[in-house]
């Protein structure tokens, strides 16, 4: 007499991943990786970036495996996570370009002494960009991470709070501290 096939549900697999069973996690990864990369490619339009997005989704799942919950199926969860991560990446790239363009426009609008050469202006622009990067790098780690997620990746306070595992009020406070510190460090440029 043959034994009946055992049906393994998404909730069973999720429970096993939550317990840290690497083989189950690897099985889910292998089953869905290629299709998820194809799906991400529709959003990010780069094979390398699509692979990076999918790998980051799986990495986040593994890091937070003890908290991982799936509403319906693992596939639905993964496609939703990849779509959201892809859209965040596209938004972040767009925001980064807009931030650079705004910074360049602000620098270009600064008064330039009549005796200044175009090379002087370009040098000043480079120096300002470097001063901004240095000032951001000098922020406290949590403050810097919060600032970068907000200003360069254009995440909302709620999204940042979720990513960092803190409250939106904490995010608000960290952004305020970052802006205050940056104003102080960059006052010579303002």
């Amino acid at each position: 007499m043959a034994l009946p096939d055992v049906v393994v549900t998404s909730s069973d697999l999720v429970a096993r991943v939550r317990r840290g069973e690497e083989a189950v996690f690897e099985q889910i990864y292998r089953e869905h990786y290629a299709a998820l990369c194809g799906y991400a490619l529709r959003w990010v339009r780069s094979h390398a970036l699509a692979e990076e997005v999918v790998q980051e989704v799986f990495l986040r799942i593994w890091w937070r495996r003890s908290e991982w919950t799936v509403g319906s199926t693992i596939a639905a969860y993964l496609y939703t996570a990849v779509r959201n991560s892809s859209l965040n990446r596209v938004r972040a790239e767009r925001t980064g370009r807009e931030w650079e363009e705004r910074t360049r426009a602000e620098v270009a609008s600064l008064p330039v002494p009549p005796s200044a050469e175009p090379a002087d202006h370009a040098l000043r622009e480079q120096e300002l960009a470097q001063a901004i990067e240095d000032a951001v790098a000098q922020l406290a780690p949590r403050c810097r991470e919060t600032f970068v997620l907000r200003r360069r990746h254009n995440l909302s306070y709620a999204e940042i709070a979720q990513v960092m595992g803190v409250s939106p009020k904490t995010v608000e406070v960290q952004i305020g501290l970052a802006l205050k510190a940056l104003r102080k460090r960059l006052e010579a440029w303002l």
Side-chain angles (χ1 to χ4, degrees), residues 1-45:
M1 179 172 166
L3 295 175
D5 289 335
V6 176
V7 177
V8 180
T9 65
S10 287
S11 59
D12 295 333
L13 294 174
V14 170
R16 292 176 67 184
V17 169
R18 288 177 67 139
R19 287 192 303 265
E21 293 185 32
E22 289 181 36
V24 174
F25 180 77
E26 289 174 16
Q27 175 189 347
I28 294 168
Y29 181 85
R30 281 192 304 276
E31 285 178 12
H32 296 281
Y33 181 78
L36 291 170
C37 285
Y39 183 65
L41 182 62
R42 294 168 49 190
W43 300 100
V44 297
R45 309 225 185 269

Side-chain angles (χ1 to χ4, degrees), residues 112-123:
V112 179
S115 63
E117 302 278 329
D120 291 337
H121 184 69
L123 180 61

Side-chain angles (χ1 to χ4, degrees), residues 64-140:
R64 296 182 175 156
R65 65 186 171 273
S66 63
E67 305 159 6
W68 190 35
T69 57
V70 173
S72 57
T73 66
I74 291 174
Y77 176 91
L78 291 172
Y79 277 92
T80 300
V82 167
R83 184 195 68 224
N84 291 341
S85 292
S86 297
L87 290 174
N88 286 342
R89 185 64 69 100
V90 168
R91 204 176 306 128
E93 282 186 19
R94 185 177 344 125
T95 301
R97 283 193 306 272
E98 290 170 358
W99 187 72
E100 287 175 16
E101 290 170 9
R102 249 191 339 265
T103 302
R104 282 195 179 95
E106 288 173 8
V107 168
S109 70
L110 292 174
V112 179
S115 63
E117 302 278 329
D120 291 337
H121 184 69
L123 180 61
R124 181 165 167 78
E125 187 175 318
Q126 286 176 340
E127 288 173 350
L128 175 59
Q130 187 60 50
I132 292 170
E133 288 302 316
D134 292 344
V136 170
Q138 291 174 12
L139 293 172

